[in-house]
Amino acid sequence: MEFLTRSERETEDLGAKLAIKLKPGVIIAYRGGLGMGKTAFTRGIAHGLGYPGRVSSPTFTIVQEYIGGRLPLFHFDWYRIRNADELYNLAWEEYQDRGGVCVIEWSEQAPEVLPSDCVFVTISRVNNFNNFNDNLNLNNYNNDNDNNGADNDNNMDNIRRILVEGMEMD
Ligand SMILES: Nc1ncnc2c1ncn2[C@@H]1O[C@H](COP(=O)(O)OP(=O)(O)OP(=O)(O)O)[C@@H](O)[C@H]1O
Ligand SMILES: [Mg+2]
């Protein structure tokens, strides 16, 4: 299933909507580069699960645990991971058996470690026409680059295409 969002807030809202459907043991692997909105989507999931605290990329700690919502949420950032051995040293498998949800930023760093039934969330910009070769209709969007607000809902730079595979959202 595919979605378009126009702001960080809309991406958070989509994460919160997905959170309603989450069950213990689900693993969500993000794909998509720097600043695409993986942490924003995760913040939405955390808040959708009822976790009230702060959510930011655990780039230096690799994993951050958010406990207190409907399910525990384990937020990984594999940006600094170089190979699967490093993950086994961090006991990554043990998190999968703790009755929670795992979400993984930069899952591309060790795709061979992901289980075959994981949920993929792929985020991309749609205003890069070199990477954009599907049939989405952009005519609904106003290409207003004159504004100074970086998070203006009508700024093309802020549009994200979010593909959710391996899970129903409705
Ligand atoms: N539609 C959108 N969805 C999400 N973020 C957006 C959107 N439009 C603009 N942004 C901006 O893009 C940035 C997304 O940051 P975020 O930390 O969520 O990305 P990330 O994918 O986790 O990056 P990193 O790989 O560095 O961890 C924020 O500055 C946010 O305001
Ligand atoms: Mg991040």
Side-chain angles (χ1 to χ4, degrees), residues 15-35:
K17 188 177 162 198
L18 179 134
I20 296 166
K21 301 284 179 186
L22 288 173
K23 299 190 174 98
V26 171
I27 295 174
I28 297 175
Y30 293 109
R31 295 189 287 213
L34 276 172

Side-chain angles (χ1 to χ4, degrees), residues 2 5 20 22 44 55 74 79 90 100 112 131 135 139 154 158:
E2 191 169 289
T5 67
I20 296 166
L22 288 173
V55 172
F74 305 115
Y79 186 71
L90 292 163
E112 66 276 26
N131 294 335
N135 297 317
N139 293 329
N154 291 322
N158 294 341

Side-chain angles (χ1 to χ4, degrees), residues 144-158:
D144 174 12
N145 285 318
D146 294 336
N147 68 80
N148 297 316
D151 204 26
N152 184 300
D153 282 3
N154 291 322
N155 187 337
M156 282 285 287
D157 290 343
N158 294 341

